[in-house]
Amino acid sequence: MTSQLLETLEKYWGYKQFRPLQEDIIRSVLDGKDTLGLMPTGGGKSLTFQVPTMTMDGLCLVITPLIALMKDQVDNLRALNIKAATVYSGMTQDEINKHLDNCIFGDYKFLYISPERIHTELFKNKLPHLKICLLVVDESHCISQWGYDFRPSYLRIAEIRKVLPPETPVLALTATATPDVVEDIQDKLLFRKRNVLKKSFVRDNLAYVVRSVENKTDELIHILQNVEGTAIIYTRNRQHTADIAKELQQAGFSAHFFHAGLNRDDKIFRQDAWKRGECRIMVATNAFGMGIDKADVRLVIHVDMPGSLEEYFQEAGRAGRDGKKSYAIALCASAETSKLKKRLTDEYPDKKLIANIYDALGNYFQIAVGFGIFMTRDFPIQDFCRKFKFSENQTHSALKILELAGYIEYVEEPDSNSRLLFLVNRDELYHLQLSRLADEIIQVILRSYTGIFADYVFIDESLIATRTHSSRNEVYNELISLSKSHIINYIPRKKLPQIVYTRDREESRRLSIPRSAFEVRQKRSEERISKVIEYINEQNICRSRMLLHYFGEKSDTDCRICDVCLRKTQSGVRTWEFNTARDALIAALNGKSEQVNVLAYSLPLEKEKNLVVMRYLLDNDDRFHLKDGMMSFS
């Protein structure tokens, strides 16, 4: 079996061996076991289901909330001549039908689907006809209400298992999960037997640093001047990404900014320039980084801390994937704690305000009470907030709570790719009377994209414009004309977020927001933020050990490279040295007394440093005693 797996790995992906834990997960899946794989960011999660599926008979159903990542993986699989399809919010009924029928009749190997789509009548009707050999739940922490990113649609995944043959294994994957979340994932997905495979969260090469500074821009410039290599700078505000990038450019650095509001062409251009090393620094919101496979990032700097250590660990973990020394630095001003606490107010606005926003939403879309179920509307949030004088942050949070309460779906990043399918066959094309430009566009499409007669394919109008020596607008107009003539079905990209009504509009006074969507989550958010505050304010405990402990992994060893470990203690030695000597001393004095001179030579540090630590402990720690040259511990 090992040789077959390695042959598959090399044949399609060009790798000669697996990364740590990948083969263990693959073997577990092939043995038919329900499996939870915990793999930190950059661990190569996708291969743990893609490789075994290529050796199995049937279709792999992958449930993931990340539309951009979904499309990237499908494009990559298609480039390897592996049949793959997608279904997600924002697609037309015709597209979804086409993709699902292809998976039933077309020998497809992978179907990626968003969790919101799995409980639609269309999918439920098609599901029994799909020959599913493996069910994959990516970002599986989203199924747990204990997690930081709970999504109610994930709770419906277990319903799929009741339709599938009982021996069909489920593979749940996530990069970060606390012990409570690990248990919850297995419960919610109806695991037949507990089975967790995890890679240690230890990152020996990654130095975690917290710096207390008031002028973050000056500190950014100072760090970037002293640490070479590619960098990501995270902030929680879209406007700040542009402002910081501009300041860095003025200071002589090559920098781009990135956030979800950019158009697709800008995103691709900036991302590719950064990945190729043509741009050193990416200043971004958390929209950047998911699925980015760049191993040589030397710096990840947080100008704003996220609201949970799960998010921080995932973002910080994008540094140093090649195993070389790298830094995860958090810049924290004196107001950082109050900023984090204020975020709670924004994330959990007053329930009366939530009701007002829900009411305004219905008025904005002109949907009457008792109507609206399954209606989908583009949602320009800035225009909405301006018209009704709401805060954009609180509106965003209110919409997420309304989504958790089951009233709407809030699709923040709808599909931004254009899609196209030919409605006539290749022979019919040659007999059509078309304009010169239309004919050139069709020829470029046929040369650039495969499978376009059988399925919807993502296209890039800018690429087509370049290859036909025309403008993007000319290409768009010709494609619209071809679509009206029923030669193609062309679906231009969407740029705006969308609101989908999942039930008829209610009167705001009848709005019911359950405790699980508000009070319970608010309490857990408070707890997560308190852990972030504890992390940034800690002065004595190794930062790596703090993170490991949070994720339920025990470590008795300091990392020796974080700012806490390298800080000098009052004794005059570094924190990691002091902790190492103290712990060894306690172990040596376990129930007995020992000569000081013997201890000075037997402890892990140099003799003089050992003596410094012992003197300090005798003077400052009542548990240590000295009598007649003999040291003891009680």
Side-chain angles (χ1 to χ4, degrees):
M1 177 57 76
T2 298
S3 60
Q4 184 186 0
L5 292 174
L6 289 173
E7 285 173 14
T8 303
L9 180 69
E10 185 170 9
K11 176 183 176 181
Y12 290 102
W13 290 276
Y15 302 124
K16 294 185 180 295
Q17 61 185 26
F18 290 104
R19 295 186 194 179
L21 198 67
Q22 283 180 330
E23 189 172 357
D24 294 331
I25 294 175
I26 290 169
R27 285 184 171 280
S28 180
V29 165
L30 290 174
D31 287 341
K33 298 176 182 176
D34 294 336
T35 307
L36 171 55
L38 290 176
M39 300 180 73
T41 303
K45 288 189 295 178
S46 59
L47 290 183
T48 63
F49 59 85
Q50 290 174 349
V51 171
T53 298
M54 296 308 295
T55 69
M56 299 166 81
D57 181 25
L59 175 79
C60 177
L61 179 63
V62 185
I63 299 171
T64 175
L66 305 169
I67 293 176
L69 192 61
M70 185 190 300
K71 291 184 294 187
D72 286 345
Q73 289 201 9
V74 167
D75 286 345
N76 292 338
L77 288 166
R78 287 175 173 173
L80 299 171
N81 292 318
I82 298 172
K83 289 185 175 181
T86 56
V87 172
Y88 48 84
S89 297
M91 292 175 68
T92 66
Q93 195 87 341
D94 181 53
E95 282 181 287
I96 294 171
N97 246 322
K98 190 86 174 176
H99 283 221
L100 293 177
D101 284 345
N102 281 339
C103 289
I104 293 170
F105 303 111
D107 194 28
Y108 272 56
K109 293 302 294 179
F110 296 92
L111 171 60
Y112 286 75
I113 186 167
S114 65
E116 293 80 17
R117 298 297 94 192
I118 62 177
H119 57 265
T120 61
E121 284 303 315
L122 176 58
F123 180 74
K124 285 193 285 190
N125 290 337
K126 301 280 188 182
L127 179 60
H129 306 289
L130 295 168
K131 188 179 179 182
I132 295 171
C133 61
L134 175 62
L135 173 62
V136 176
V137 183
D138 195 18
E139 305 298 323
S140 59
H141 60 272
C142 294
I143 204 170
S144 173
Q145 294 196 49
W146 295 101
Y148 73 94
D149 195 21
F150 170 67
R151 303 189 187 204
S153 52
Y154 263 68
L155 295 175
R156 307 291 294 270
I157 294 173
E159 295 174 12
I160 294 177
R161 299 208 70 178
K162 297 170 185 175
V163 179
L164 302 179
E167 69 275 10
T168 308
V170 61
L171 172 59
L173 295 167
T174 184
T176 50
T178 62
D180 285 338
V181 172
V182 167
E183 288 301 305
D184 210 20
I185 290 170
Q186 294 173 91
D187 286 337
K188 295 292 196 303
L189 289 175
L190 307 179
F191 268 40
R192 292 164 290 183
K193 185 178 178 182
R194 289 291 191 264
N195 183 27
V196 181
L197 297 176
K198 61 184 291 187
K199 183 180 176 185
S200 171
F201 287 101
V202 173
R203 296 289 304 277
D204 292 329
N205 64 311
L206 185 55
Y208 295 100
V209 178
V210 175
R211 289 196 177 170
S212 299
V213 291
E214 296 305 319
N215 190 324
K216 294 184 179 183
T217 303
D218 285 353
E219 187 63 23
L220 269 179
I221 292 170
H222 172 74
I223 293 168
L224 291 164
Q225 286 172 337
N226 286 276
V227 180
E228 296 181 349
T230 305
I232 305 173
I233 298 170
Y234 281 113
T235 179
R236 315 316 280 184
N237 181 289
R238 290 184 181 184
Q239 184 57 47
H240 288 172
T241 63
D243 295 340
I244 293 169
K246 184 177 180 181
E247 289 175 310
L248 293 177
Q249 289 164 2
Q250 290 171 346
F253 298 102
S254 60
H256 280 313
F257 66 91
F258 188 105
H259 56 69
L262 295 174
N263 66 51
R264 178 175 177 270
D265 292 342
D266 280 343
K267 285 180 181 177
I268 291 173
F269 172 78
R270 295 173 191 204
Q271 185 171 292
D272 288 349
W274 179 80
K275 286 171 72 173
R276 289 193 300 265
E278 296 165 5
C279 166
R280 179 189 172 193
I281 303 159
M282 186 66 78
V283 188
T285 61
N286 60 358
F288 181 77
M290 195 66 72
I292 299 295
D293 189 15
K294 185 169 173 62
D296 62 346
V297 178
R298 296 277 76 87
L299 270 168
V300 171
I301 304 174
H302 279 80
V303 174
D304 300 309
M305 282 297 283
S308 73
L309 289 180
E310 290 98 323
E311 293 170 275
Y312 178 72
F313 185 83
Q314 198 169 65
E315 292 167 8
R318 291 176 183 135
R321 292 183 188 174
D322 56 5
K324 295 180 181 178
K325 180 69 177 291
S326 304
Y327 298 87
I329 302 174
L331 302 183
C332 300
S334 56
E336 211 68 33
T337 297
S338 57
K339 274 174 62 180
L340 283 164
K341 289 179 178 177
K342 182 186 179 300
R343 196 174 300 168
L344 273 173
T345 307
D346 287 340
E347 288 181 3
Y348 295 93
D350 184 81
K351 284 188 176 182
K352 186 175 180 182
L353 176 59
I354 296 173
N356 290 341
I357 288 171
Y358 177 75
D359 228 12
L361 203 63
N363 296 336
Y364 187 73
F365 294 133
Q366 297 185 327
I367 296 173
V369 171
F371 295 88
I373 189 167
F374 302 136
M375 284 187 180
T376 301
R377 295 287 186 269
D378 288 342
F379 183 59
I381 188 170
Q382 291 176 330
D383 179 65
F384 173 80
C385 291
R386 186 166 52 249
K387 183 169 286 187
F388 292 96
K389 297 181 172 55
F390 291 131
S391 153
E392 196 169 324
N393 283 342
Q394 290 190 327
T395 298
H396 171 86
S397 298
L399 294 174
K400 298 305 287 184
I401 292 167
L402 288 167
E403 183 174 36
L404 288 168
Y407 289 95
I408 62 168
E409 275 180 31
Y410 177 36
V411 186
E412 295 177 70
E413 293 183 58
D415 173 39
S416 58
N417 293 65
S418 298
R419 307 188 292 282
L420 188 147
L421 169 72
F422 273 95
L423 300 177
V424 299
N425 63 39
R426 195 181 289 267
D427 290 336
E428 290 175 296
L429 274 178
Y430 294 118
H431 298 96
L432 295 174
Q433 298 295 316
L434 302 172
S435 69
R436 179 193 59 79
L437 180 55
D439 187 59
E440 287 181 7
I441 288 170
I442 286 175
Q443 293 307 315
V444 166
I445 290 171
L446 293 176
R447 288 196 298 268
S448 303
Y449 304 100
T450 59
I452 203 157
F453 290 95
D455 203 352
Y456 285 89
V457 171
F458 297 117
I459 63 164
D460 184 345
E461 291 91 335
S462 297
L463 176 69
I464 297 168
T466 300
R467 292 180 179 176
T468 55
H469 306 290
S470 57
S471 70
R472 195 179 187 288
N473 198 47
E474 287 173 320
V475 169
Y476 171 81
N477 289 332
E478 288 292 345
L479 291 175
I480 290 292
S481 177
L482 289 167
S483 192
K484 287 179 178 177
S485 301
H486 303 290
I487 296 167
I488 62 172
N489 191 359
Y490 169 56
I491 303 170
R493 69 185 186 186
K494 291 184 172 69
K495 298 180 182 179
L496 293 171
Q498 290 179 317
I499 297 289
V500 182
Y501 274 77
T502 51
R503 55 198 283 186
D504 287 327
R505 179 185 174 185
E506 296 271 8
E507 292 181 14
S508 59
R509 63 187 177 85
R510 295 184 182 276
L511 206 65
S512 175
I513 298 172
R515 281 180 50 79
S516 59
F518 195 91
E519 287 86 357
V520 174
R521 291 187 56 75
Q522 185 179 39
K523 180 80 164 62
R524 290 176 184 159
S525 291
E526 286 174 1
E527 291 167 357
R528 282 192 288 271
I529 282 177
S530 73
K531 290 295 182 183
V532 175
I533 292 170
E534 185 180 317
Y535 175 82
I536 64 178
N537 290 330
E538 181 56 54
Q539 299 293 313
N540 300 307
I541 302 174
C542 166
R543 298 205 186 277
S544 182
R545 286 178 73 172
M546 287 187 75
L547 291 169
L548 292 173
H549 178 74
Y550 183 78
F551 291 112
E553 187 173 336
K554 292 182 179 178
S555 174
D556 297 324
T557 307
D558 289 342
C559 72
R560 304 186 178 188
I561 57 174
C562 73
D563 63 307
V564 172
C565 283
L566 296 179
R567 185 180 298 117
K568 283 197 173 182
T569 63
Q570 291 179 337
S571 67
V573 301
R574 296 185 186 278
T575 301
W576 77 262
E577 293 174 318
F578 182 87
N579 290 343
T580 302
R582 180 201 58 210
D583 293 347
L585 184 60
I586 291 172
L589 296 176
N590 184 23
K592 62 182 180 179
S593 299
E594 191 66 75
Q595 288 185 2
V596 169
N597 287 338
V598 173
L599 290 168
Y601 284 101
S602 64
L603 297 182
L605 308 181
E606 302 162 12
K607 174 191 171 185
E608 291 306 318
K609 286 186 177 180
N610 288 332
L611 286 169
V612 166
V613 173
M614 286 190 286
R615 288 191 201 104
Y616 184 85
L617 290 170
L618 285 166
D619 291 340
N620 296 278
D621 192 329
D622 292 340
R623 297 175 300 169
F624 293 90
H625 312 282
L626 181 65
K627 185 177 182 181
D628 299 329
M630 303 289 287
M631 195 169 181
S632 61
F633 175 78
S634 59

